[in-house]
Amino acid sequence: MHIRLKIWRQENSQDAGRMQDYELAAVDPDMSFLEMLDMLNEQLLGKGERTIEFDHDCREGICGQCGVMINGRAHGPLKNTTTCQLHMRSFAEGEVIYIEPFRATAFPVKCDLKIDRSALDRVIQAGGFISVNTGQAPEANSIPVGHGVAEAAFDAAACIGCGACVAVCKNSSAALFTSAKITHLVLLPQGEVEASERVRQMVDQMDAEGFGHCSNTEACEAECPQQISVLHIARMNWEYNKLQLLKT
Amino acid sequence: MLESKIPDGPLEDKWRYYKEHAKLVNPANRRKLEVIVVGTGLAGSSIAASLGEMGYRVKSFCFQDTPRRAHSVAAQGGVNACKNYKNDGDNIFRMFYDTIKGGDFRSREGNVYRLAECSASLIDQAVAQGVPFGREYGGYLNNRSFGGVQVSRTFYARGQTGQQLLLGAYQALMRQVHLGTVQLFARHEMLDLVTIDGKARGVIVRNLDTGNIERHGAHAVILATGGFGKIYYLSTLAMGCNGSAIWRAHKKGALIANPSWTQIHPTSLPQSGEYQSKLTLMSESLRNDGRIWVPKNQDEKRLPNQVPEEDRDYYLERRYPAFGNLSPRDIASRAAKERIDAGYGIGPLKNAVYLDFSRAIKEQGEPKIREKYGNLFRMYEKITGIDAYKEPMRISPAAHFSMGGLWVDYELMTTIPGLFALGEANFADHGANRLGANSLLQACVDGYFIAPYTLGNYLADEIKTPTIDTSQLAFDSAAARVEGQLRALMSIGGKLSADHFHKTLGKILYDKCGLSRSREGLEQAINEIKALRQQFYEQLYIPGGMAINSELEKAGRVADYLELGELMCYDALTREESCGAHFRVEYQTPEGEAKRNDRDFSFISAWEWAGSHNPPVLHKEPLKFEFVTPTVRSYK
Ligand SMILES: Cc1cc2nc3c(=O)[nH]c(=O)nc-3n(C[C@H](O)[C@H](O)[C@H](O)COP(=O)(O)OP(=O)(O)OC[C@H]3O[C@@H](n4cnc5c(N)ncnc54)[C@H](O)[C@@H]3O)c2cc1C
Ligand code: FES
């Protein structure tokens, strides 16, 4: 395949950044998208040019590190797929492909396609856990959890923290990410005890990080590689409102 | 020199005895003691969180942008624990025995028993953290059997067990960060270990965002930096996985044990082209229903579904009738390589074998297979574009897990006092072959339940040591050396990329120190690696500057791999027997099975660094079997 690329280049967080044109011939349709970038980088290196910085690690769709905007869509044209699991056969011969970093105030660009998503860690730090110290756990089967409940908790827990939900949201909201963690933990009896503290602190932290509010456009769910449901956002709101009501 | 420190006495009392006699640090003193934990996988996150909870001052490092992306996140299959929830006769001794035997009698009895003993508490811990393990309809935990054992002891969270366990540990870690007991340094790579008076006292790290070289001091250093299987370039490991942390510690005096024992996993996706960067693992659970075959005819032109039964060679069923498609990983991988090398491989590169579900689909119906493996079939289709409900999958062996690593004693301490190694970074517990679902267990158990005690035992003697001053000479010289190395790499100014060298090294190792090894091949490999290393220092090119620069990161890792790879070959060369993942073609039975030699090789090989131009020095830790008798592993 022959393809044309327009890629965001930005030296560092101070640099204004710009789109730059590249061309690649002899792209194998079986290549993954990141392998195509490897190939481009190999060519840039051959010409003595600085290679394109992008984030990735597992290349298996599970670590959540590889997200970029491809032709304006988070992780590219396929549904529920991370960038590393996207293959060049999904593009047409001669196609022009636009590649940009995920954009959000809370995700500053570091270099080229690399961004800083540590805001998501701080949201978890604010309460996205069950407060149990090592060594004090009771026998596991002493806390029965219904099959359906465990599966539902899993559906929420499957979030890989890639940030696509933030990137596609017109308000740059992290509601899908945060609510998934809230649902995961509140569904389980172990996590219910701290439910109200958790939701208050996590929501406050989300605001403090500069993420916007959710206005229910549901783009996040559509682009999420793990098919995390927007219903979790409703649950988060419900938990939050319950807390406000009980307070007054 | 190699004192394993395994407590005397009956197997079942060793760990209890150790804990009863280990020294303690009182809570007021813990606040004065600092510990560095490099790595935030299951081993690193669990120990950092546990130490934080106990009141130590902890610094946690990883090279990813957040701890949650450590490679433990990728583990699919499950985690073992003997809970005997199925009432099928599982118990600690049985699990201990399966693991010892699975490792081909090349691990320590004391360590392995402790692994089995602590396994039940891990499930308790994870459940308390909210890990959503699979459940029965009555609400109790479910489990399944895995990789050649006869009881159900593998707990799982769909096909994402590693992810969920890691999120549990990560959340515990984040809680400590919030409480201020743990300081987090993501996007930081450890590039050297600092020792003072022979003890580990800190690390030199590079901030991958700014390029700055930083110094961090501590009373003890823990390396939980995972496996180095990525040395083969094509492997099931993440792109960033590396051997650098353990290698730099090795050069500072820590011995490395059994480095050549790399597990090659039988069910990965085959390489499809030269550009390929990784091989994706397909869960081994597929072998429960899939049948493995190659055509009987070397130049079979027909599509797989058109090849009639009589022209198919179900070679695992043929050679190992008792275990068939479920034979252990080392056996299944080797049998595939044997067929591929003999010219029966399939696919465009003739480098794969078929994993066929047609019979299972006919017998159980497609919905049943979809329910069991749907996500794996989807993943397969995403990568290959092939619908495995309609035609067989193509699979092939791939480097997957390092059984070797830093040598540690029973306390998980390396030969450098104050330097500990946890999880896949150490060599302990798995012997020459790891059973499925035992690695997540080991990483977790090391971090949650073993190191908190053994570290306390060490730190109890350190309470009078003041905060480590990082302006000392040892830090100066380590930092200067790291900066010198980085500048040297940047200034080579050749024409070839770090990836080029990595791929070339990987190919040498795969061919000559991979699934099968021979004296001749290993000797060649050592020479080829030496030459490649020389070429690396003449021909490498790194564009860009000293700040964010992935090419520089890769180059540093490849430089270390070029040394570690040579050590792997030495290790394989001296072990003149076949055991587990190590198959020396000179030592096989007439039927082509591995031939172990317990009389001469019942020891752990621990290697000492002797400088760049000298061969490494071998130390032997004899293995004592007091409670089991090594037997021949037969899966016929
Ligand atoms: C695809 C796949 C599937 C698997 N499936 C299973 C399974 O089903 N069951 C099972 O039991 N095991 C499985 N394993 C094996 C298991 O996942 C690993 O052995 C285990 O997770 C290793 O954990 P760890 O904590 O030792 O290391 P890792 O999780 O690899 O963590 C390493 C950490 O070290 C950090 N690090 C490394 N080098 C440096 C450095 N120089 N400086 C700073 N930080 C550094 C990394 O950032 C990371 O945080 C699987 C492995 C793979 C690859
Ligand atoms: S690189 Fe890990 S999800 Fe893509």
Side-chain angles (χ1 to χ4, degrees), chain B residues 254-563:
Chain B
L255 302 194
I256 285 189
N258 306 333
S260 70
W261 289 348
T262 308
Q263 181 164 83
I264 312 279
H265 200 291
T267 59
S268 135
L269 300 188
Q271 182 179 9
S272 56
E274 281 304 314
Y275 53 79
Q276 200 148 342
S277 56
K278 85 161 291 177
L279 299 174
T280 301
L281 182 78
M282 296 301 288
S283 169
E284 192 167 30
S285 61
L286 290 172
R287 291 202 279 148
N288 282 316
D289 285 301
R291 297 177 73 200
I292 295 177
W293 63 275
V294 290
K296 278 187 183 157
N297 196 342
Q298 273 195 354
D299 40 31
E300 178 59 68
K301 296 273 182 316
R302 289 170 289 186
L303 294 172
N305 289 337
Q306 291 159 359
V307 179
E309 279 295 305
E310 63 272 18
D311 290 343
R312 299 175 174 196
D313 176 13
Y314 294 92
Y315 58 87
L316 282 176
E317 298 170 33
R318 167 167 62 79
R319 287 178 63 178
Y320 308 101
F323 278 70
N325 296 301
L326 287 175
S327 34
R329 291 178 181 178
D330 53 333
I331 308 253
S333 297
R334 212 149 44 226
K337 178 173 168 33
E338 191 275 327
R339 284 293 79 192
I340 291 169
D341 288 351
Y344 297 90
I346 54 99
L349 302 180
K350 292 186 89 43
N351 62 350
V353 299
Y354 289 124
L355 178 61
D356 195 335
F357 291 87
S358 55
R359 183 153 96 185
I361 289 173
K362 204 179 293 157
E363 284 173 3
Q364 303 171 37
E366 195 177 305
K368 188 85 204 161
I369 297 299
R370 199 174 282 280
E371 183 191 316
K372 283 200 231 177
Y373 310 113
N375 61 335
L376 295 167
F377 278 52
R378 251 196 318 280
M379 182 167 112
Y380 182 78
E381 187 168 4
K382 254 186 204 167
I383 298 173
T384 62
I386 296 173
D387 178 356
Y389 295 103
K390 300 219 167 69
E391 60 179 284
M393 286 184 180
R394 294 176 191 159
I395 55 159
S396 142
H400 178 63
F401 179 86
S402 336
M403 270 82 69
L406 289 177
W407 184 91
V408 290
D409 59 21
Y410 190 69
E411 299 191 291
L412 306 182
M413 188 152 85
T414 68
T415 47
I416 298 178
L419 179 69
F420 292 75
L422 274 55
E424 200 175 331
N426 73 26
F427 88 103
D429 299 9
H430 306 296
N433 175 44
R434 170 175 74 84
L435 286 187
N438 261 353
S439 170
L440 293 178
L441 172 65
Q442 185 224 333
C444 290
V445 160
D446 282 3
Y448 286 123
F449 303 118
I450 299 173
Y453 293 95
T454 63
L455 206 74
N457 190 51
Y458 174 80
L459 289 173
D461 294 331
E462 291 289 330
I463 52 178
K464 297 223 168 61
T465 309
T467 303
I468 307 300
D469 169 12
T470 57
S471 63
Q472 299 181 68
L473 207 61
F475 281 91
D476 288 344
S477 56
R481 198 170 34 246
V482 165
E483 288 184 33
Q485 277 164 354
L486 293 170
R487 265 198 306 274
L489 290 174
M490 290 294 294
S491 63
I492 295 172
K495 288 218 156 3
L496 298 170
S497 66
D499 275 346
H500 165 83
F501 291 97
H502 194 170
K503 285 180 190 171
T504 314
L505 172 69
K507 181 133 183 37
I508 299 174
L509 287 174
Y510 189 78
D511 289 344
K512 303 193 164 123
C513 191
L515 271 164
S516 60
R517 296 116 189 243
S518 68
R519 165 166 294 280
E520 198 195 346
L522 289 164
E523 282 169 351
Q524 279 168 5
I526 291 174
N527 289 328
E528 289 172 28
I529 295 172
K530 278 192 180 25
L532 187 67
R533 199 161 61 223
Q534 194 178 343
Q535 198 199 15
F536 176 83
Y537 286 102
E538 289 160 4
Q539 293 291 327
L540 176 74
Y541 175 61
I542 304 172
M546 288 304 258
I548 295 184
N549 189 341
S550 306
E551 290 299 319
L552 177 59
E553 289 168 33
K554 285 194 245 174
R557 293 169 190 162
V558 174
D560 293 334
Y561 277 152
L562 283 165
E563 294 176 342

Side-chain angles (χ1 to χ4, degrees), chain A residues 34 56-66 82-84 160:
Chain A
L34 300 185
H56 65 105
D57 198 22
C58 73
R59 295 201 174 187
E60 219 167 88
I62 189 79
C63 78
Q65 198 159 348
C66 61
T82 55
T83 304
C84 58
I160 58 174

Side-chain angles (χ1 to χ4, degrees), chain A residues 4-104:
Chain A
R4 287 181 291 156
L5 298 156
K6 289 186 181 292
I7 304 181
W8 184 257
R9 298 304 304 258
Q10 182 174 340
E11 289 296 316
N12 51 47
S13 46
Q14 276 78 52
D15 181 22
R18 72 217 66 86
M19 295 303 274
Q20 206 155 307
D21 293 349
Y22 300 94
E23 238 167 280
L24 271 183
V27 170
D28 190 317
D30 282 339
M31 272 183 175
S32 74
F33 194 81
L34 300 185
E35 284 162 353
M36 181 275 293
L37 287 178
D38 290 343
M39 182 177 172
L40 176 62
N41 272 345
E42 193 75 30
Q43 295 189 3
L44 292 180
L45 188 138
K47 289 191 264 178
E49 286 175 35
R50 188 171 74 77
T51 50
I52 294 153
E53 292 290 343
F54 60 98
D55 262 326
H56 65 105
D57 198 22
C58 73
R59 295 201 174 187
E60 219 167 88
I62 189 79
C63 78
Q65 198 159 348
C66 61
V68 288
M69 294 305 262
I70 301 168
N71 292 340
R73 293 188 60 184
H75 296 295
L78 298 186
K79 268 183 84 100
N80 315 125
T81 305
T82 55
T83 304
C84 58
Q85 294 293 84
L86 176 66
H87 288 74
M88 295 313 291
R89 66 181 90 90
S90 302
F91 298 91
E93 172 63 35
E95 190 171 338
V96 184
I97 306 173
Y98 289 78
I99 312 173
E100 288 174 85
F102 281 176
R103 296 193 190 275

